[in-house]
Amino acid sequence: MSNNTKGRRDFMGMALGGFTALGGLGALYAMKRTWDPLPSVKAAGFTTVDLSGAQENVLNVEKWRGKPIFVLKKSKDMKADDRDVVIGSDRFHVSIGLCTHLGCIPAYVADDKKFKCACHGGEFDASGHQIFGPPPSPLEIPPFKIDGTNLVLGEAGPEYKKMLDAGLTV
Ligand code: FES
């Protein structure tokens, strides 16, 4: 092989490698954009989440006191529920993301608009009600307060207290 051919092959390899790396970066960027959580601030046991940028039928998973918190903006075709957190004309499902059977983290299946728990097949609807399998109760609603378009997790506001008094949080 002449030096020239080898040089060209190395160059081609490098060019292809660079191309692949760039493609990978693009894919990573796209994934990051999809995974980017809503803007949130954590301080002293509270997590404040700005819901103004939430997209319908896209699950956001926040963290509050070490627990996953599901925040799902409902689409118009989803049934309204007394457990919904209402901000303006938008409705959100907010719950602790732990299956009420044995505590696994259910996945949200956007096409079915359901939470499905892989551990024993339990299912919850988009309002967190158990609809199939062994879970004995709905997904639990954490204490929350509404502050403008912000959801403050860890503080019991009037909307949460109303749900608590009505026995809707568990
Ligand atoms: S832990 Fe979810 S169905 Fe058992």
Side-chain angles (χ1 to χ4, degrees):
M1 189 186 341
S2 80
N3 260 350
N4 217 350
T5 317
K6 186 171 181 298
R8 205 166 43 221
R9 196 174 288 167
D10 285 353
F11 171 76
M12 285 296 285
M14 265 160 42
L16 274 177
F19 212 64
T20 314
L22 268 182
L25 272 183
L28 272 181
Y29 178 69
M31 279 197 285
K32 175 157 166 30
R33 276 169 49 108
T34 326
W35 287 347
D36 255 349
L38 293 168
S40 66
V41 179
K42 293 176 186 57
F46 302 109
T47 300
T48 303
V49 191
D50 182 1
L51 298 183
S52 57
Q55 293 174 30
E56 290 183 355
N57 202 27
V58 174
L59 182 71
N60 291 277
V61 183
E62 304 295 333
K63 211 168 174 195
W64 170 68
R65 296 192 183 166
K67 294 178 181 161
I69 303 293
F70 291 162
V71 179
L72 176 72
K73 183 176 177 180
K74 288 184 153 185
S75 50
K76 301 291 171 248
D77 60 320
M78 288 181 190
K79 233 176 45 201
D81 193 276
D82 289 346
R83 288 162 43 93
D84 290 347
V85 174
V86 182
I87 298 184
S89 58
D90 296 328
R91 308 184 79 89
F92 295 85
H93 165 69
V94 177
S95 63
I96 298 175
L98 298 173
C99 180
T100 52
H101 180 220
L102 292 175
C104 292
I105 301 177
Y108 185 64
V109 183
D111 285 349
D112 296 346
K113 296 179 176 143
K114 275 182 197 169
F115 295 93
K116 294 190 180 182
C117 182
C119 288
H120 312 96
E123 293 185 5
F124 302 84
D125 66 13
S127 302
H129 295 289
Q130 77 277 26
I131 49 171
F132 184 78
S137 53
L139 294 172
E140 190 181 338
I141 297 178
F144 69 88
K145 191 183 97 172
I146 298 166
D147 179 11
T149 59
N150 287 334
L151 177 75
V152 185
L153 295 164
E155 201 174 333
E159 295 84 357
Y160 173 76
K161 285 185 184 151
K162 218 169 114 190
M163 285 185 195
L164 187 70
D165 290 346
L168 296 173
T169 57
V170 281

